[in-house]
Amino acid sequence: MSAEIICVGTEMLLGNILNSNAQYLAIQLAKLGIPHYYQTVVGDNPERLKHVIEIASQRSEILIFTGGLGPTPDDLTCETIADFFNTPLVERPEIIEDIARKYAQRGRQMTPSNRKQALIPKGAEILPNPTGTAPGIIWQPQPGLTIFTFPGVPSEMQRMWEETAVPYLRNLGWGKETIYSRMLKFWGIPESALAEKVAAYLNLTNPTVAPYASKGEVKLRISAKAATEAAAQELIAPVHKQLQDIAGLDYYGADDDTLASVVGELLRRDKETLSVAESCTGGGLGQMLTETSGSSDYFWGGVISYDNSVKINLLDVNAEDLAKCGAVSATVAEQMALGVRSRLGTSWGLSITGIAGPTGGTETKPVGLVYIGLAKPNGEVESFEYRWGTGRSRSLIRHLSTCSALDQLRRKLLTR
């Protein structure tokens, strides 16, 4: 048996809202051990919705609809489903009573258009909505097919799923197994290179391993199916360890770990502190560090030195070196790191200077050229050059630079 998620709403096709309902339901189905292979987004159009139902009902045994259950004319989900299966709609008085009661609690009177929400296919069960006015349905229009409908409001949908749909599915025998996943994270290695290193693991069946890449980061998702989450974790643990050993320093964490949180734990472990000096990233590095709760234990602050005068006056960058080498250079990056470390009195100093674009590049110093400086507790300093390329956006170059700066510090903390 497999499930299919069908989200109804033209606003999602236009990109006006993010389809968070599909993500939530996918996670919940995995927890119940219910496989699902397809997700569909369709606009508020009866004929297109019928076409989706025709395809989905032939390949999936559970169809989960979200959206299109309100009182307005474009809320067509329930009546379209009924029409597809040649089933009349019937008005359920208990739904009208529930809607009227909720309106009265809010000091308002139910409008005639709300009666539409009380029309459900004949033979369908009501899927109660504890907070909103639009109920859903649980319906088996034909043998081997179960339909759930939910409103599009995420908070309403989630509560209805947890309180009614999950118990219903468990009664059908689902929930005896779970699909648990762990996401391993890597920085400093291309997806293709990592995939080659772990190629033998990509053909496993339980657990399975699949690669992903996004904004410079590479991930390996390990998923296991077992009777309990604990049992699934036992299946995952040895594969996790083997993949981590293969990747070496390119592996930095899993699941909720970030480069900033991992760096923070290493600094806390060694009872050391960090300060930053930023030019092209404009405070992004400091922001990334302070997104971790408790970062004040090790992160003392930073200097956004966009103008050269700030580099000279606050970070003690040599004016002659600035004139000779330019602000985007290894020399200046190193002096920025040394300067902020000295000024703030921290163990480590980390700096970024570069050309984020889309303007400002030259033939010798193109857009995407970035230097990272790292001043160490013993007073030594080194720099790292990155050439992100002219085809990348300003925001992506800044993101790659901040993450790479944290990654260089992480590697030093692990290998010194």
Side-chain angles (χ1 to χ4, degrees):
M1 180 181 287
S2 64
E4 186 157 343
I5 299 169
I6 301 170
C7 299
V8 183
T10 303
E11 65 275 12
M12 286 178 287
L13 291 176
L14 295 175
N16 298 138
I17 66 169
L18 183 67
N19 185 10
S20 61
N21 285 343
Q23 181 186 33
Y24 171 83
L25 288 168
I27 292 170
Q28 298 305 311
L29 287 169
K31 288 182 179 180
L32 291 170
I34 300 176
H36 98 276
Y37 307 117
Y38 303 97
Q39 294 180 8
T40 302
V41 177
V42 60
D44 302 303
N45 180 283
E47 293 308 312
R48 285 192 283 272
L49 181 53
K50 286 180 183 178
H51 183 61
V52 168
I53 298 170
E54 180 181 11
I55 296 172
S57 61
Q58 294 175 13
R59 65 190 182 190
S60 303
E61 292 77 28
I62 301 173
L63 306 186
I64 305 171
F65 293 81
T66 69
L69 300 185
T72 60
D74 63 345
D75 290 313
L76 301 167
T77 298
C78 213
E79 62 186 87
T80 303
I81 294 173
D83 188 36
F84 178 84
F85 291 103
N86 298 312
T87 302
L89 292 169
V90 295
E91 186 176 88
R92 299 289 291 267
E94 59 266 51
I95 296 178
I96 295 176
E97 292 173 7
D98 181 65
I99 296 172
R101 177 179 55 81
K102 288 172 179 172
Y103 267 83
Q105 290 174 345
R106 301 167 189 170
R108 299 166 58 192
Q109 187 172 4
M110 187 184 82
T111 60
S113 63
N114 283 107
R115 297 185 71 94
K116 177 183 178 182
Q117 295 172 301
L119 295 171
I120 69 172
K122 185 178 180 180
E125 298 179 42
I126 298 171
L127 203 170
N129 186 339
T131 55
T133 61
I137 65 169
I138 303 175
W139 189 30
Q140 293 179 326
Q142 63 188 36
L145 180 66
T146 301
I147 289 176
F148 294 84
T149 67
F150 298 89
V153 180
S155 60
E156 296 179 20
M157 182 273 294
Q158 291 174 19
R159 185 169 175 184
M160 293 165 69
W161 173 264
E162 293 165 4
E163 294 184 1
T164 304
V166 170
Y168 184 92
L169 289 166
R170 288 192 187 279
N171 286 335
L172 292 179
W174 290 100
K176 295 180 180 178
E177 288 187 307
T178 185
I179 300 172
Y180 178 82
S181 297
R182 182 174 302 162
M183 194 70 76
L184 278 55
K185 300 181 178 181
F186 309 81
W187 192 271
I189 182 172
E191 180 185 16
S192 57
L194 181 61
E196 287 181 10
K197 283 188 173 185
V198 303
Y201 292 83
L202 302 182
N203 295 319
L204 296 178
T205 54
N206 192 29
T208 60
V209 178
Y212 301 88
S214 175
K215 298 177 70 174
E217 183 176 72
V218 183
K219 300 176 182 179
L220 291 176
R221 188 205 67 218
I222 313 175
S223 299
K225 189 173 185 178
T228 65
E229 184 175 307
Q233 289 180 353
E234 288 183 9
L235 290 172
I236 287 173
V239 177
H240 180 171
K241 178 64 166 58
Q242 292 159 18
L243 292 173
Q244 182 177 346
D245 289 345
I246 291 171
L249 281 176
D250 292 327
Y251 169 86
Y252 77 82
D255 293 335
D256 295 331
D257 289 334
T258 66
L259 283 164
S261 69
V262 170
V263 164
E265 285 305 310
L266 292 171
L267 289 169
R268 186 183 282 115
R269 177 200 69 182
D270 296 340
K271 296 181 174 55
E272 293 180 331
T273 54
L274 171 68
S275 57
V276 300
E278 303 182 60
S279 183
C280 68
T281 50
L285 181 54
Q287 179 185 12
M288 199 170 283
L289 284 160
T290 54
E291 283 175 353
T292 300
S293 178
S295 55
S296 58
D297 291 345
Y298 49 82
F299 178 58
W300 282 15
V303 175
I304 302 174
S305 55
Y306 231 59
D307 189 78
N308 284 347
S309 63
V310 179
K311 294 180 178 69
I312 295 169
N313 297 325
L314 289 185
L315 298 176
D316 301 319
V317 173
N318 185 280
E320 292 182 2
D321 289 336
L322 262 173
K324 178 182 177 181
C325 304
V328 181
S329 61
T331 299
V332 170
E334 292 174 2
Q335 292 184 27
M336 288 171 62
L338 287 168
V340 76
R341 174 181 174 272
S342 174
R343 287 281 185 168
L344 273 66
T346 55
S347 310
W348 297 82
L350 190 58
S351 70
I352 305 175
T353 180
I355 305 168
T359 61
T362 64
E363 186 174 341
T364 56
K365 294 187 177 183
V367 169
L369 176 64
V370 172
Y371 290 94
I372 292 168
L374 181 60
K376 307 173 187 179
N378 62 5
E380 295 179 356
V381 64
E382 61 182 309
S383 58
F384 311 89
E385 179 184 291
Y386 291 87
R387 292 179 180 265
W388 300 121
T390 56
R392 287 173 161 150
S393 69
R394 179 179 179 85
S395 62
L396 180 56
I397 289 172
R398 284 153 60 103
H399 173 79
L400 294 172
S401 300
T402 53
C403 290
S404 295
L406 289 170
D407 185 56
Q408 289 294 351
L409 175 56
R410 176 186 68 88
R411 291 169 186 263
K412 292 299 177 185
L413 289 166
L414 288 170
T415 59
R416 57 180 170 160

